[in-house]
Amino acid sequence: MVFYFRSEKERMERQRIAEASKGVGKPKVGGVFELVDQDGRVWKSEEEMKGKFSLVYFGFSHCPDICPEELDKMAQMLDLVSVVLPPSSSSNPTLLPVFITCDPARDTPSVLKTYLQEFHPRLVGLTGTWEQVKAVCKMYRVYFSTPQGVKPGMDYLVDHSIYFYLMDPEGDFVEAIGRTHSAEKAAKIISEHMSDWKAKAKR
């Protein structure tokens, strides 16, 4: 009985977080966009993300340390969630991992394809024009900045926000997961939100 009430309290707290993210007067996170994936195909969010949970991360392939660390963590998160909610079961919600570059000048589809193969086979890499990427970053409230006066061939770093954005199957923002979360803690948060959605869908 104590376990039930504790579980129900935790579920209600997760629901409160998810609902608060959609609150009136709060800036909306996410939106409809169109980019190009690592295979060079046009990728439309309203088609690819609809009906799935999505875990969205913004970064760039030339990042020396933070992005590789976070993508390694993302891969662990995917595998841990898959243990709790196996993708092979049609009754389980799907989790779509998405990497969106903040450096479209260098991150072409082929560059992203090679880069992301190092982390997880399910990762979707997206790029586009600078204007397209800037628009998507604005939708997700992602800050990014490239140095001024960069010439072709020059190496440089891109300063950017470091969060995983969990989106629900209706395209609504659920929760942001930061660097302080371990892969295990993040996977637990994601699995619980997905399980809550699955239980609600059965009602």
Side-chain angles (χ1 to χ4, degrees):
M1 184 65 74
V2 173
F3 174 77
Y4 170 78
F5 283 115
R6 186 183 299 124
S7 298
E8 187 64 11
K9 183 179 178 181
E10 291 173 353
R11 184 192 67 77
M12 291 179 71
E13 176 62 14
R14 290 193 299 274
Q15 184 177 349
R16 184 194 67 76
I17 291 171
E19 291 301 322
S21 299
K22 307 174 189 178
V24 176
K26 292 203 169 199
K28 179 176 171 61
V29 175
V32 176
F33 62 87
E34 183 176 303
L35 292 172
V36 176
D37 70 13
Q38 70 261 52
D39 293 314
R41 294 187 293 247
V42 173
W43 200 92
K44 298 180 180 181
S45 64
E46 72 268 32
E47 296 176 2
E48 302 293 344
M49 296 170 74
K50 186 177 181 181
K52 305 168 187 170
F53 273 87
S54 300
L55 190 61
V56 183
Y57 181 78
F58 293 79
F60 66 111
S61 69
H62 286 70
C63 181
D65 44 30
I66 294 174
C67 289
E69 289 172 4
E70 293 300 282
L71 287 173
D72 273 336
K73 185 165 78 176
M74 191 180 198
Q76 293 177 54
M77 289 153 59
L78 292 171
D79 290 340
L80 289 168
V81 170
S82 292
V83 172
V84 179
L85 296 162
S88 56
S89 174
S90 59
S91 65
N92 289 333
T94 299
L95 179 60
L96 177 69
V98 180
F99 174 89
I100 301 177
T101 182
C102 295
D103 185 21
R106 293 183 294 184
D107 284 343
T108 62
S110 60
V111 168
L112 286 182
K113 185 165 188 172
T114 300
Y115 178 66
L116 295 177
Q117 283 174 348
E118 299 292 322
F119 299 101
H120 201 281
R122 285 170 50 202
L123 262 170
V124 174
L126 300 177
T127 186
T129 65
W130 189 86
E131 289 78 12
Q132 285 176 313
V133 168
K134 181 182 178 183
V136 179
C137 286
K138 187 175 180 181
M139 288 178 191
Y140 280 82
R141 304 293 185 263
V142 170
Y143 161 82
F144 80 103
S145 175
T146 53
Q148 294 183 348
V150 173
K151 297 177 181 178
M154 286 180 62
D155 194 20
Y156 58 88
L157 297 178
V158 179
D159 190 19
H160 63 90
S161 307
I162 307 167
Y163 288 99
F164 294 100
Y165 298 85
L166 182 63
M167 313 297 291
D168 74 17
E170 293 178 351
D172 289 322
F173 171 65
V174 177
E175 190 166 345
I177 298 170
R179 291 190 71 196
T180 57
H181 290 80
S182 67
E184 291 76 15
K185 175 63 175 174
K188 183 174 185 291
I189 291 170
I190 295 166
S191 298
E192 287 172 345
H193 279 300
M194 292 174 68
S195 295
D196 290 345
W197 180 277
K198 178 180 177 181
K200 188 171 72 170
K202 285 183 176 179
R203 291 175 194 161

